[in-house]
């Protein structure tokens, strides 16, 4: 890995892209070829999953990209990047005590919406892959197996929270998402979902969330979303830490 350029000071210019601003690259990153471990993961993801050809991904690895080295749970640094492709592809490594413990988060066009005409197209990726023309961002976790194959371990390491009947009734359909905005500061994720709009059919600019349902503490509400606690990487797994009334992990 050889950075072509790194900033003299953090926060000395805006983030390199809108998605970078939303996925934790809040500090001005270095610019250069991606760290080898991130590039290897990006190239190994099956095209049927991410809907971007290997040829396109190979080309991206030959171009300078923004990235940061951040302190994690190992003597080796974690790395985070938002690759400059359409709406951006975010990758973040989570190192463990041993390199075999390392997992990789990838946010990109995993969700094909060709056959979902009612799904809002905001933030969509317009793709050239034959298997999909339009995709939305989703988050996956990957890990190298003992046989040196890349395995999708999302369900094992980061399962979505189970929603109660009251939560399902209060939340907008299909709005459960992972918040990645802390990832340049710490190996921390959190699940959140959008509360239903008080005025169905209103534009996003006019969104007004419904009141917090009874029995749910107000500390779980964050700017129109319902918060499901933090998932904190401890070097081997993502431990669940509920949110305190102050908004921080307990």
């Amino acid at each position: 890995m050889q950075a072509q350029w790194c900033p003299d000071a953090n926060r000395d210019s805006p983030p390199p892209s809108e998605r970078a601003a939303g996925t934790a690259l809040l500090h001005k990153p270095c610019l250069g070829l991606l760290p080898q471990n991130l590039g290897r993961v990006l190239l190994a993801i099956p095209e049927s999953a991410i809907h971007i050809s290997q040829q396109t991904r190979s080309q991206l690895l030959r171009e300078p990209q923004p990235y940061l080295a951040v302190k994690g749970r190992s003597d080796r640094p974690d790395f985070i990047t938002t690759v400059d492709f359409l709406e951006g592809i975010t990758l973040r490594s989570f190192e463990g005590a041993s390199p075999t413990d390392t997992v990789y988060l990838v946010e990109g066009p995993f969700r094909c919406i060709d056959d979902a005409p009612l799904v809002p197209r905001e933030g969509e990726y317009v793709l050239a892959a034959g298997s999909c023309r339009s995709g939305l961002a989703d988050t996956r976790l990957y890990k190298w197996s003992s046989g040196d194959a890349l395995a999708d371990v999302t369900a094992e390491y980061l399962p979505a929270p189970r929603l109660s009947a009251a939560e399902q009734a209060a939340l907008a359909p299909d709005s459960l998402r992972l918040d990645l905005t802390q990832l340049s500061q710490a190996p921390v994720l959190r699940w959140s979902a959008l509360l239903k709009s008080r005025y169905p059919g209103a534009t996003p600019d006019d969104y007004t969330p419904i009141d917090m349902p009874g029995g749910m503490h107000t500390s779980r509400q964050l700017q129109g979303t319902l918060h499901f606690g933090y998932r904190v990487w401890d070097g081997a797994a993502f431990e669940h830490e509920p949110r305190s009334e102050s908004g921080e992990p307990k």
Side-chain angles (χ1 to χ4, degrees):
M1 179 188 68
Q2 181 64 52
Q4 295 181 7
W5 177 87
C6 286
D8 293 329
N10 287 329
R11 300 187 186 276
D12 60 353
S13 78
S17 70
E18 183 177 349
R19 183 168 293 279
T23 50
L25 283 182
L26 303 180
H27 298 291
K28 190 171 183 181
C30 294
L31 185 67
L33 299 183
L34 284 186
Q36 185 177 13
N37 60 343
L38 295 188
R40 184 171 174 238
V41 168
L42 179 60
L43 194 58
I45 299 171
E47 182 177 325
S48 59
I50 201 168
H51 307 299
I52 305 171
S53 70
Q54 280 202 330
Q55 181 180 359
T56 297
R57 283 176 276 161
S58 295
Q59 179 60 40
L60 292 171
L61 298 183
R62 294 192 290 269
E63 300 171 355
Q65 302 292 344
Y67 68 88
L68 287 172
V70 293
K71 184 173 177 56
R73 301 301 192 207
S74 166
D75 294 336
R76 301 174 302 280
D78 294 351
F79 288 100
I80 181 171
T81 181
T82 297
V83 174
D84 185 15
F85 175 78
L86 297 178
E87 301 301 313
I89 307 168
T90 294
L91 296 96
R92 211 275 198 191
S93 59
F94 295 89
E95 292 279 353
S98 165
T100 59
D101 294 325
T102 302
V103 298
Y104 297 89
L105 176 146
V106 184
E107 184 189 53
F110 290 104
R111 184 181 173 196
C112 188
I113 56 173
D114 285 352
D115 298 323
L118 299 182
V119 173
R121 258 47 182 179
E122 184 179 0
E124 74 172 316
Y125 297 75
V126 180
L127 302 164
S131 59
C132 183
R133 299 181 304 278
S134 298
L136 287 182
D138 202 358
T139 304
R140 304 280 176 88
L141 283 177
Y142 288 95
K143 186 177 182 181
W144 293 104
S145 70
S146 57
D148 205 32
L150 190 67
D152 184 333
V153 294
T154 311
E156 176 185 353
Y157 280 79
L158 206 61
R162 295 182 179 180
L163 304 181
S164 68
E167 289 168 342
Q168 293 181 47
L171 297 177
D174 195 36
S175 65
L176 187 65
R177 295 289 183 271
L178 272 171
D179 180 355
L180 312 183
T181 55
Q182 302 300 311
L183 285 183
S184 65
Q185 317 298 318
V188 174
L189 300 157
R190 63 184 173 187
W191 284 101
S192 64
L194 196 68
L195 289 166
K196 287 181 177 177
S197 173
R198 187 183 298 272
Y199 308 108
T203 66
D205 291 339
D206 296 326
Y207 169 71
T208 303
I210 63 172
D211 292 334
M212 179 68 76
M216 297 183 195
H217 199 282
T218 55
S219 67
R220 292 189 61 197
Q221 186 169 350
L222 177 67
Q223 298 178 344
T225 65
L226 194 63
H227 190 293
F228 292 89
Y230 291 85
R231 270 54 174 184
V232 181
W233 176 251
D234 65 4
F238 286 93
E239 294 295 333
H240 179 216
E241 294 191 16
R243 186 184 179 201
S244 69
E245 293 185 19
S246 68
E248 298 301 323
K250 290 183 178 180

